[in-house]
Amino acid sequence: MNDRFRQRGVRLAVMVAAALALPVLTGCPSLSTLQTPATVPEGDFRFAIGLEAVGVVSGGASGTAPQAEFAARYGVSDNIDIGAKVYGLGAELGLKWQFLRGGFDAAVAPAVSFISISSTGASGESASISVFYFHLPLLFGANLSDSFTLAFGPKFLYGLFLGDVSTSSGDEFASGDVLMGGLYLGLPIRVGGAFWVAPEINVYTPFVAEGDAAFDSVWWQGGIGLYFGGAPRTETEPAGGQPAPPYGPPPAGPPPAGPPPGGPGAAPPPPPPGY
């Protein structure tokens, strides 16, 4: 193997290693949930701010980085909402379908996120890394009261890493992937009509990873989420937030007007004196 080929091979190895280390070095990807198991009511928006930390523990080494996130969701129907999230160097799009509602809520919330990093060296060499994450969480919520929900569920994540190095001698390409599974636990606390304080923790471990053994590391993200808007509705309250009409027949109106006094054909009353 000649020196030039060896150098490019080393650069590719470093690039893929950097992609796998993104959760620690840049606070990515987002592993948070940052939503309730119940969908946002139809026609309403809900916004969220996440103040969290993300990290990884592998063998005897560990790393942690702060993570700030912003999310917005919109209720498409009573059982479906859509959302977007931005964080650090990445963004995420997803939807949620709630298939069980009541004292116990259940929903599935698939999403896809994307991260892209590139750099150019002084000698003209350039490197880029693109990472796609595909999320599949199942969200369960036990509604302990109108204000407290115990949220939990399994989560699955597939990551695809694509890297490229360009030099005067040509391009080199490398790729890697990881399949992970985990759990999340949250406690959304509703304060007032449409404001939540929601502590949560999300924990993942690799099932299959490029070049690594399964279950050899733990990725986690936890912190506080603040949700604004999209107040829950009662079962009889329709979209738009207007009270539902009462059940039963409408109230009776005034009685119909009868014939004039004296019956049909009677003479009209005389005019008042002095007329």
Side-chain angles (χ1 to χ4, degrees), residues 185-204:
L185 180 66
L187 186 66
I189 303 170
R190 184 155 65 101
V191 182
F195 176 69
W196 288 258
V197 178
E200 66 171 51
I201 181 69
N202 305 263
V203 180
Y204 287 82

Side-chain angles (χ1 to χ4, degrees), residues 77-102:
S77 69
D78 286 341
N79 297 320
I80 296 176
D81 67 22
I82 56 176
K85 179 166 61 175
V86 293
Y87 55 92
L89 301 175
E92 179 179 306
L93 295 174
L95 63 85
K96 179 170 59 188
W97 172 50
Q98 184 176 356
F99 55 87
L100 186 62
R101 183 187 304 273

Side-chain angles (χ1 to χ4, degrees), residues 46-189:
R46 182 175 299 159
F47 303 96
I49 297 173
L51 305 174
E52 304 190 336
V54 60
V56 61
V57 178
S58 180
S62 64
T64 304
Q67 179 104 308
E69 304 180 345
F70 176 79
R73 304 196 72 84
Y74 174 75
V76 177
S77 69
D78 286 341
N79 297 320
I80 296 176
D81 67 22
I82 56 176
K85 179 166 61 175
V86 293
Y87 55 92
L89 301 175
E92 179 179 306
L93 295 174
L95 63 85
K96 179 170 59 188
W97 172 50
Q98 184 176 356
F99 55 87
L100 186 62
R101 183 187 304 273
F104 188 87
D105 296 329
V108 58
V112 58
S113 56
F114 176 74
I115 302 166
S116 181
I117 304 172
S118 61
S119 64
T120 302
S123 60
E125 295 181 347
S126 63
S128 63
I129 304 171
S130 297
V131 190
F132 295 88
Y133 293 100
F134 301 91
H135 308 258
L136 185 62
L138 296 175
L139 310 180
F140 302 123
N143 297 310
L144 307 179
S145 70
D146 290 341
S147 300
F148 293 89
T149 297
L150 178 62
F152 60 95
K155 304 181 75 175
F156 302 93
L157 181 150
Y158 174 73
L160 176 63
F161 307 86
L162 306 174
D164 180 77
V165 172
S166 297
T167 69
S168 58
S169 302
D171 296 341
E172 293 289 344
F173 177 81
S175 65
D177 63 354
V178 59
L179 176 63
M180 307 181 72
L183 299 169
Y184 102 99
L185 180 66
L187 186 66
I189 303 170

